[in-house]
Amino acid sequence: MHWTRPFDSIGSGVLSAFGALGVFFGFAAESVRSLADVGTWGPLLVLHMRRIGVDSIPIALFLSTFTGIVLALQASYTFTGAIPLYFVGTLVGKTMILELGPVLTGLALSGRVGANIAAELGTMRVSEQIDALETMAYNPVAYLVVPRILAAILMFPIIVAFGNTLGITAGWITSINVLDMSTEQFVHGLQLFYKPFDITYSMIKATSFGFVIALIGCFQGFHTQGGAEGVGVATTRAVVISGMLILVLDAFWAFTLLQ
Amino acid sequence: MKLKNEVLVGITVVAGLVVMAVGGFWLTGRPWGQKEAQIVATFRAVGTLTTGNKVKYRGVTVGRVEQIELAPHGDGVFVSMSVQPGLHFPPDAAVLISPESFFGDWQAEIVSQSWHTDMLFTKAQRAGVLPGATMPDISELTAVASRIAGDIEVLSDRVQVAFTEETAVKIRRTIENAEAISEQLRGFMDQQTHTYSAVGGNVLASSANIRQATETAKLTAVDIRGAINGGDVRQILSNARQASENLNRFSQQLNAAGSGIPGLVSKADTTLGSIGQTAQGVNQMVRTLGPQLQQLGPTLEEAQRAMRTLDRAAAKIQEGNGTLGRLIADPALYEETQRAVVTLRRLLADLQENPGKYVGKVKLF
């Protein structure tokens, strides 16, 4: 083995990583530039808002409902005999708004929305539909990417708001029916440490998660190579990378906004 | 009916925005559709009070903390609160920040300063700002309580070490001894009370006896004066002087004894009793002496007669009558008698030195 081989491998890896990053940021920059082509993406925005947002609400509500129930039960299990039960309301409200509402919704939708976008665009790539758009002088980014990203950015906070509300409601119903708490106790705990910034924080996270999920899904689908296998790989990568970035962003916002 | 995409999206977005707005406002606990009044209070520090904490008045939630900002020069904190309109606060209203519960939630309570006279409220630095004070954090109180509990534990351990069974027995004995001493003191006090009562009675009796003795002495003095008028004044005066000296010494002894009386209270009873008895004896003696002094008159008259007889005998002797008179008046007889006496002395001396010269064998039987 030649002594330069390891360095060659390292250098190739670094260049590849930076090359991928460059391609990704170039794609993101192209998406931003394509915002100016409103005539292309504008008519498609509502359609994607329906598909990404409205159609995702049931899964988000289902997830949030059971999350709220579990939170209330676990809180009462933890607080029994030591902390007043009205803190169940505090824990359910704070946890749903600040953490589990946006993050669980984001993770769930990264599978549904991110995978859907990656598969759809990947299929278009491998079937050369995107190439056809480029041939017809259509801006494929403005046509395929921008409306999806904007739809995700706009609809994710709405989905998370519904999810938070239903999760807290589920926790409240669980508390008054299972934990022998009164509505007044739950609401007292819910309002005890509430700050308006909590909602803002939750919406910031939801918006960023929507942006990341849509962007990663579009990027992976847009750069799919090969046939059906490539579509599968792109879809898998979109879901995995989106999930990882959601958690990274979650920590980033906590460090940035809660310190 | 199948809704168009636009309608569905519109409904969803509007509903989501309404949920966020209404839910967020409801969670703040603010009253709906009501304008709120703003109050500002100043504090030295606000503990862990945060925006959104409750504002209470007489225990009822009337608002919430809106803003917390440092004073311009950093020498205090201004807290802005929104409260229900139309509330009438006391003229000396102030804001007291305190923990609402043991779990870290704080509150701002509108109070009258007269309700908390032990609190030091920070004076308002500008008009329209209420004075404020901050209660210590419960964690601080629990930390202090923890230290106190630790000290009590140490103290308890030390007491446990020091307070053995032997100590308990000693303490019990000490208590019993104290009880006995108390009983003795009580008995002593009773005894002293009786003693002082007896002393008082004796003093009264002595006083009466002395008064009687004085009266008797007065009568006796009258008698003595009468006797003196008819008797030997010089002798009586001499006796009286002697008696006076005796009385003076007795008085000095009494004074000396009297100086120790305060320290010898316990003996005062006996002394006064003796004085009383002495006074009674003196009284009896004076009574006895009275008739004898009355009998002294004839005795003195007989003594005067004897003196006069002696005077006459002396006059005869001086005149040379009788043996003594001749011895005194005739020098020759005196010389002759003197020589006879000298001769007699010589004879007696010789007789003592040489008894056999003058006395032969003596036989009694």
Side-chain angles (χ1 to χ4, degrees):
Chain A
M1 188 176 73
H2 198 267
W3 66 273
T4 58
R5 196 88 177 253
F7 295 101
D8 185 35
S9 299
I10 294 172
S12 298
V14 171
L15 285 175
S16 175
F18 275 99
L21 279 176
V23 172
F24 176 77
F25 282 110
F27 179 78
E30 179 62 28
S31 301
V32 172
R33 276 197 301 272
S34 299
L35 282 172
D37 194 0
V38 180
T40 303
W41 60 263
L44 300 170
L45 182 62
V46 174
L47 172 66
H48 288 293
M49 287 174 73
R50 157 77 187 270
R51 291 170 60 185
I52 291 174
V54 177
D55 293 349
S56 297
I57 287 177
I59 184 67
L61 297 184
F62 181 83
L63 206 68
S64 298
T65 301
F66 284 93
T67 302
I69 292 171
V70 172
L71 271 178
L73 293 172
Q74 286 188 348
S76 68
Y77 173 78
T78 307
F79 294 164
T80 301
I83 298 176
L85 273 181
Y86 64 79
F87 272 93
V88 171
T90 306
L91 189 137
V92 169
K94 281 282 186 183
T95 308
M96 281 303 301
I97 293 172
L98 294 179
E99 183 63 23
L100 292 184
V103 171
L104 285 182
T105 303
L107 289 174
L109 295 191
S110 70
R112 183 186 181 279
V113 174
N116 178 274
I117 292 174
E120 188 177 2
L121 294 187
T123 302
M124 291 176 74
R125 169 62 72 183
V126 298
S127 61
E128 299 179 346
Q129 294 180 55
I130 295 175
D131 299 329
L133 287 173
E134 289 174 345
T135 303
M136 291 187 292
Y138 251 78
N139 183 355
V141 174
Y143 185 75
L144 298 174
V145 175
V146 172
R148 286 176 171 82
I149 292 176
L150 287 178
I153 289 174
L154 292 173
M155 292 307 290
F156 259 60
I158 302 295
I159 298 169
V160 170
F162 282 123
N164 289 344
T165 304
L166 197 67
I168 292 170
T169 305
W172 164 58
I173 293 171
T174 304
S175 298
I176 61 176
N177 287 292
V178 180
L179 304 180
D180 198 22
M181 280 178 64
S182 65
T183 297
E184 288 75 16
Q185 282 179 306
F186 187 85
V187 172
H188 173 68
L190 192 62
Q191 295 178 341
L192 193 58
F193 293 108
Y194 170 75
K195 298 175 184 176
F197 176 73
D198 295 349
I199 298 287
T200 306
Y201 180 78
S202 184
M203 294 302 105
I204 289 172
K205 285 172 74 169
T207 304
S208 64
F209 293 165
F211 171 73
V212 164
I213 289 169
L215 183 64
I216 297 297
C218 289
F219 177 77
Q220 291 298 328
F222 214 79
H223 293 86
T224 302
Q225 292 177 339
E229 185 182 354
V231 173
V233 171
T235 304
T236 304
R237 280 183 180 173
V239 173
V240 172
I241 294 173
S242 296
M244 290 171 61
L245 284 180
I246 284 171
L247 297 178
V248 171
L249 272 177
D250 187 33
F252 170 78
W253 289 125
F255 274 114
T256 306
L257 300 177
L258 297 184
Q259 290 292 311
Chain B
M1 186 180 72
K2 189 173 181 180
L3 295 175
K4 290 171 60 178
N5 286 339
E6 288 78 3
V7 175
L8 277 176
V9 170
I11 292 172
T12 304
V13 170
V14 170
L17 293 175
V18 169
V19 164
M20 277 192 286
V22 173
F25 187 82
W26 175 72
L27 286 174
T28 62
R30 292 177 177 172
W32 299 89
Q34 198 175 32
K35 282 192 173 181
E36 294 179 317
Q38 296 291 323
I39 60 172
V40 180
T42 182
F43 304 88
R44 256 181 299 182
V46 292
T48 56
L49 186 79
T50 58
T51 55
N53 283 140
K54 292 178 179 176
V55 178
K56 291 184 177 178
Y57 180 52
R58 298 181 186 273
V60 179
T61 302
V62 296
R64 63 199 304 274
V65 175
E66 293 290 346
Q67 189 177 14
I68 300 172
E69 58 182 346
L70 208 58
H73 301 292
D75 53 351
V77 180
F78 289 114
V79 175
S80 303
M81 292 157 280
S82 59
V83 297
Q84 295 175 12
L87 293 175
H88 297 285
F89 300 126
D92 59 343
V95 178
L96 181 64
I97 295 175
S98 60
E100 188 182 11
S101 71
F102 286 101
F103 302 101
D105 44 329
W106 281 57
Q107 65 179 7
E109 189 173 11
I110 300 168
V111 298
S112 168
Q113 293 185 48
S114 61
W115 301 347
H116 299 274
T117 54
D118 55 334
M119 295 293 298
L120 185 62
F121 289 90
T122 303
K123 296 299 178 189
Q125 298 169 345
R126 62 176 190 240
V129 177
L130 297 175
T134 305
M135 296 279 279
D137 189 2
I138 289 175
S139 60
E140 297 174 12
L141 297 177
T142 52
V144 173
S146 176
R147 284 201 299 274
I148 293 172
D151 294 342
I152 290 174
E153 185 180 359
V154 171
L155 185 63
S156 174
D157 291 341
R158 289 177 180 173
V159 168
Q160 198 170 4
V161 170
F163 196 80
T164 60
E165 189 66 27
E166 183 182 355
T167 309
V169 170
K170 287 181 178 178
I171 290 174
R172 192 172 67 231
R173 287 177 182 170
T174 303
I175 293 171
E176 290 174 355
N177 291 336
E179 187 177 358
I181 290 171
S182 174
E183 286 294 327
Q184 290 176 358
L185 283 174
R186 193 160 61 87
F188 176 72
M189 290 302 295
D190 291 341
Q191 184 182 0
Q192 289 302 310
T193 303
H194 290 303
T195 301
Y196 286 133
S197 178
V199 166
N202 290 334
V203 167
L204 289 174
S206 299
S207 176
N209 291 333
I210 288 171
R211 187 166 59 248
Q212 289 178 354
T214 303
E215 291 176 354
T216 305
K218 193 183 294 179
L219 294 173
T220 305
V222 173
D223 294 340
I224 289 173
R225 189 179 299 114
I228 287 172
N229 290 335
D232 191 349
V233 177
R234 188 176 299 168
Q235 182 65 31
I236 292 171
L237 286 176
S238 176
N239 293 337
R241 189 177 296 113
Q242 185 65 34
S244 175
E245 289 175 354
N246 291 337
L247 283 172
N248 193 24
R249 282 196 299 273
F250 179 65
S251 174
Q252 289 176 351
Q253 290 173 355
L254 277 177
N255 286 334
S259 62
I261 283 175
L264 300 170
V265 176
S266 61
K267 296 181 179 180
D269 180 31
T270 307
T271 305
L272 288 171
S274 300
I275 290 171
Q277 291 175 355
T278 304
Q280 286 180 345
V282 169
N283 190 22
Q284 291 176 354
M285 182 186 73
V286 170
R287 285 181 178 174
T288 306
L289 193 62
Q292 290 177 354
L293 287 174
Q294 288 178 353
Q295 293 175 0
L296 192 61
T299 305
L300 288 174
E301 288 178 359
E302 289 179 2
Q304 283 179 339
R305 282 197 296 272
M307 290 297 292
R308 279 194 296 270
T309 304
L310 187 60
D311 189 38
R312 282 194 299 271
K316 290 179 179 177
I317 289 170
Q318 285 179 347
E319 289 173 0
N321 294 330
T323 304
L324 287 176
R326 290 176 185 172
L327 283 172
I328 292 171
D330 188 358
L333 182 57
Y334 174 75
E335 289 294 334
E336 193 66 29
T337 304
Q338 192 67 24
R339 279 194 300 273
V341 170
V342 171
T343 302
L344 185 57
R345 284 179 179 169
R346 287 175 183 166
L347 178 62
L348 286 173
D350 187 54
L351 182 62
Q352 287 176 346
E353 290 176 359
N354 302 299
K357 184 178 177 182
Y358 302 97
V359 180
K361 186 177 284 186
V362 178
K363 292 183 180 177
L364 292 176
F365 298 102

